[in-house]
Amino acid sequence: MLATRVIPCLDVKDGRVVKGVGFQRLRDAGDPVELAAYYDAEGADELVFLDVSASHERRDILLDVVKRTAEVLFIPFMVGGGIRSIHDIREILYHGADKVAINTAAVEEPFLIREAAEMFGSQCIVASIDVKRVYVEDERLAPGKVVLDTPSGKCWWDVYIYGGREAVGIDAVQWAEMAAALGAGEIVASSLDFDGAQQGYDTIYLREVSKRVAVPLIASSGAGNPQHILEAITVGKADAVLAASIFHYGTYTIHQVKEYLATHGVPVRLE
Amino acid sequence: MPDIVVIDYGMGNLRSVQRGIDAAGSPTRIITEKDGLRGADAIILPGVGAFRDAIANLAPFKQGICDAAESGVPLLGICLGLQLLFTRSTEGGSYPGLDILSGTIQPFPKGRKIPQIGWNTLTIVDAGNLLIRGVPDGSYVYFVHSYYAQVEREKEVVAMTRYGIDFPSIVSRRNIFATQFHPEKSGKTGLRILKNFVDIVKR
């Protein structure tokens, strides 16, 4: 039976991990390579590096980190953040990543997804989508958008780019469908409303995306405890869950989360 | 040390396969031309992407791979490399494969997320096969694929996996071995399988 994947995400800035320095067992918790090996040993099903470097000029540092990390990992490895072109994708893959997550560039130039998927295969092209809820009184006020009921009222989901700084005005559910149709092999769904709050994932949004998109959905943003992760899977229908803080600050280990999921009937890889 | 070659025919990054074999205790030689097959003690055929492009790129190596397979050189196909060993694929039309193993590459039936991406379990049907020595039934391995092999000879199936349907995840005949999953991305289980392959080569 296919296991639901539990995936830690590391924010990497100028070659250092900027979140998740709470580990006392590690000699240098800011070292992405050491942390990656730690998570691999801990039972992570995959690992994500999100490059949050302010400037694109630091690319060589990221590539070096990707290369050194890939050398120690024997699980799938995804890299995202600041990927603008086929050239960037090729560089990241060449340095040992198995998948690249494309966000802003895919929104600005959707055919980048198709071109990349044709060149490298859908299996390594992931569409990463940041969203924020836009509440409306009535669906007629949001023509062409997917409007759903939430406990806070009716809303649709707007796509954001440039690290959540710029609203695009396009419907995220429909964008996810299009990204998959263009050749993205997976979707990472993150929420600006829910990210960092540790109050749970946006399961209403996740469920809609999962229902409509034929490729696997990786849920992101909002995990504060194992129950939130369970809900992203059972309510949000996610195929994989990504989390950062919950693991980095040692609140829960990956193994603890997986055991919790297993006791609630979710198939997970426990070894 | 055995001379294990990894065929680079432009279908994906081979470094992780090379690292996997390296961790399993043997160096590898990446080859980009058919002459590189000469004298090899074992051949690894990796690959990701579309069958049509792969078989076209692989054309120069075809005779060499088939001759080596026939003469008993251990051969390991990984993911698309497994699919290429079969008679034919229906991916994007109908394309002939290397026909070292008999069967057809078919798409997964609709009804589930495609591609299958993630860790799934092995149901071992031929526990005596050397490739899975020390690999317990039910072990998880990492898959990424939309097509699977419909084999003609059931006895060539070493392990099955369920994703809507039951499909062969490891196949083997004599010196020919192939995995639909990526052993180089499958943690300890995958490394064990690669080590078993290296041991087979060393025998």
Side-chain angles (χ1 to χ4, degrees):
Chain A
M1 194 167 193
L2 187 68
T4 302
R5 285 169 283 158
V6 178
I7 307 172
C9 176
L10 304 181
D11 284 0
V12 178
K13 186 177 184 186
D14 301 335
R16 301 282 296 169
V17 176
V18 291
K19 259 196 237 166
V21 290
F23 289 108
Q24 295 184 340
R25 268 171 289 176
L26 300 183
R27 194 166 33 85
D28 176 6
D31 177 19
V33 182
E34 191 168 356
L35 213 48
Y38 170 81
Y39 279 128
D40 184 351
E42 253 259 288
D45 294 315
E46 194 164 328
L47 189 76
V48 176
F49 272 11
L50 186 62
D51 179 36
V52 295
S53 302
S55 115
H56 208 62
E57 283 74 65
R58 314 304 292 265
R59 212 66 184 167
D60 49 335
I61 300 175
L62 174 74
L63 292 175
D64 177 59
V65 166
V66 168
K67 182 165 189 261
R68 287 188 294 118
T69 304
E71 294 291 323
V72 304
L73 280 184
F74 290 100
I75 55 173
F77 178 29
M78 188 195 305
V79 176
I83 290 165
R84 308 288 313 163
S85 63
I86 290 288
H87 173 79
D88 290 346
I89 296 168
R90 181 178 287 119
E91 290 264 273
I92 299 268
L93 293 175
Y94 179 78
H95 283 80
D98 299 297
K99 309 174 184 183
V100 291
I102 317 173
N103 192 324
T104 304
V107 174
E108 293 186 334
E109 181 47 62
F111 283 96
L112 177 63
I113 295 179
R114 173 171 286 172
E115 202 186 335
E118 280 173 1
M119 200 166 287
F120 307 109
S122 286
Q123 82 291 332
C124 65
I125 305 301
V126 180
S128 176
I129 305 176
D130 292 342
V131 301
K132 200 169 172 167
R133 289 179 172 190
V134 180
Y135 290 96
V136 289
E137 290 289 313
D138 193 294
E139 41 267 85
R140 279 171 299 188
L141 296 171
K145 304 290 198 287
V146 176
V147 177
L148 299 173
D149 284 314
T150 77
S152 316
K154 285 183 194 302
C155 74
W156 62 281
W157 284 263
D158 195 356
V159 174
Y160 274 69
I161 54 177
Y162 293 106
R165 287 191 294 276
E166 191 180 315
V168 184
I170 66 172
D171 184 274
V173 176
Q174 292 166 9
W175 166 232
E177 283 182 280
M178 187 196 259
L182 285 167
E186 289 177 275
I187 305 286
V188 174
S190 309
S191 160
L192 299 166
D193 303 297
F194 288 68
D195 195 58
Q198 301 200 26
Q199 298 295 311
Y201 293 76
D202 193 344
T203 51
I204 296 170
Y205 166 66
L206 291 173
R207 191 187 184 95
E208 190 66 19
V209 174
S210 188
K211 191 174 82 185
R212 290 180 181 233
V213 174
V215 301
L217 170 67
I218 303 173
S220 172
S221 309
N225 61 44
Q227 195 191 332
H228 293 149
I229 291 180
L230 177 67
E231 286 164 2
I233 299 158
T234 55
V235 183
K237 304 290 177 196
D239 302 286
V241 284
L242 189 148
S245 316
I246 180 174
F247 298 132
H248 300 328
Y249 297 109
T251 328
Y252 296 93
T253 65
I254 289 169
H255 194 80
Q256 282 170 333
V257 167
K258 285 188 166 186
E259 294 225 302
Y260 178 85
L261 294 175
T263 59
H264 288 79
V266 175
V268 288
R269 180 180 69 111
L270 279 167
E271 296 193 323
Chain B
M1 276 295 160
D3 179 26
I4 300 179
V5 301
V6 180
I7 302 180
D8 181 0
Y9 57 109
M11 300 301 285
N13 193 344
L14 310 181
R15 181 69 194 124
S16 57
V17 173
Q18 192 173 34
R19 274 193 307 114
I21 296 289
D22 203 42
S26 174
T28 45
R29 184 160 60 89
I30 289 183
I31 62 166
T32 54
E33 287 181 18
K34 66 174 186 200
D35 290 349
L37 289 170
R38 208 174 293 147
D41 293 319
I43 299 168
I44 296 180
L45 182 59
V48 292
F51 190 95
R52 185 191 60 184
D53 299 343
I55 202 73
N57 289 1
L58 200 58
F61 295 97
K62 187 177 173 186
Q63 199 55 49
I65 296 170
C66 292
D67 290 348
E70 188 62 34
S71 70
V73 172
L75 172 63
L76 176 64
I78 296 173
C79 194
L80 183 59
L82 170 145
Q83 301 187 356
L84 292 165
L85 298 180
F86 281 88
T87 315
R88 130 176 336 272
S89 172
T90 61
E91 183 182 349
S94 178
Y95 294 93
L98 295 172
D99 201 20
I100 291 171
L101 296 171
S102 296
T104 308
I105 306 305
Q106 304 270 12
F108 274 125
K110 288 195 168 48
R112 294 197 165 237
K113 296 282 180 86
I114 294 171
Q116 166 174 231
I117 299 183
W119 299 77
N120 205 333
T121 47
L122 298 175
T123 300
I124 291 170
V125 292
D126 177 11
N129 192 285
L130 291 175
L131 194 67
I132 51 161
R133 205 160 53 89
V135 175
D137 191 47
S139 295
Y140 277 101
V141 287
Y142 186 80
F143 291 86
V144 184
H145 63 131
S146 302
Y147 290 77
Y148 70 96
Q150 199 166 57
V151 299
E152 255 166 45
R153 291 189 284 266
E154 297 260 326
K155 65 176 196 314
E156 293 174 358
V157 176
V158 176
M160 300 286 286
T161 295
R162 177 166 292 183
Y163 189 64
I165 54 159
D166 292 324
F167 67 92
S169 40
I170 306 178
V171 291
S172 172
R173 191 185 75 229
R174 296 195 301 269
N175 55 313
I176 315 298
F177 303 88
T179 66
Q180 180 58 69
F181 54 89
H182 287 274
E184 76 282 10
K185 291 286 152 194
S186 296
K188 287 193 193 82
T189 301
L191 289 177
R192 176 72 206 221
I193 288 168
L194 293 177
K195 183 174 185 304
N196 287 342
F197 182 71
V198 171
D199 289 345
I200 290 165
V201 177
K202 284 180 178 169
R203 278 192 326 145

